[in-house]
Amino acid sequence: MSVARRRPYLVGAVIITVAAGLASRKWPWLLPAALGKFPGDVLWAQMVYWTVGFLAPTASICRVGAWALAIAYADECSQIYQATWINQIRATTWGHLIFGSTFSWWDLLAYSIGVGLCCIIEVIVLKLASKR
């Protein structure tokens, strides 16, 4: 599917996604407790998707999704490595938000859901735009 993403919209998507992700961690009681921290993980992967889309605005939805998943999965797998220097970075607020702390298979599922939702959103937006 031919894609021509508009960067201002992607910047807005990143800002909204980051705000929602931070809100999901600051006020977790606003969401069902059964979801735990996973809404933040879904939103983190969506932020990666929108960022990849910004960097490659003409790439196909599948290509952006594949790159976003590769980045998110690589970040999660990097959490298996637990050296002192990287753990000191992860102990900071920004380090924890960007790099996480411990590996979880559930996080990979959350990332897949987040990227999948972005792909669906883009397909819907493209279909609506083509009807104009």
Side-chain angles (χ1 to χ4, degrees):
M1 184 174 281
S2 177
V3 179
R5 293 175 187 86
R6 296 187 181 179
R7 285 185 165 153
Y9 293 122
L10 294 169
V11 170
V14 168
I15 291 168
I16 290 167
T17 303
V18 168
L22 292 173
S24 77
R25 296 293 169 103
K26 184 166 178 84
W27 301 292
W29 61 87
L30 295 175
L31 298 168
L35 295 177
K37 69 177 191 70
F38 296 108
D41 294 333
V42 168
L43 290 161
W44 187 88
Q46 290 180 325
M47 183 265 315
V48 172
Y49 183 94
W50 301 130
T51 302
V52 171
F54 179 87
L55 296 173
T58 60
S60 71
I61 292 169
C62 289
R63 186 169 295 238
V64 172
W67 274 105
L69 280 177
I71 292 166
Y73 288 0
D75 179 74
E76 188 65 26
C77 289
S78 77
Q79 295 170 28
I80 295 169
Y81 181 67
Q82 293 290 320
T84 303
W85 71 271
I86 192 73
N87 287 339
Q88 289 173 337
I89 294 171
R90 290 177 179 141
T92 67
T93 299
W94 285 105
H96 182 74
L97 288 171
I98 295 168
F99 301 114
S101 57
T102 56
F103 177 84
S104 169
W105 290 103
W106 291 108
D107 288 351
L108 297 178
L109 175 62
Y111 300 154
S112 299
I113 291 168
V115 169
L117 289 172
C118 285
C119 292
I120 291 167
I121 289 168
E122 282 211 312
V123 167
I124 291 169
V125 168
L126 284 173
K127 285 187 182 198
L128 292 174
S130 70
K131 289 183 180 180
R132 287 186 191 179

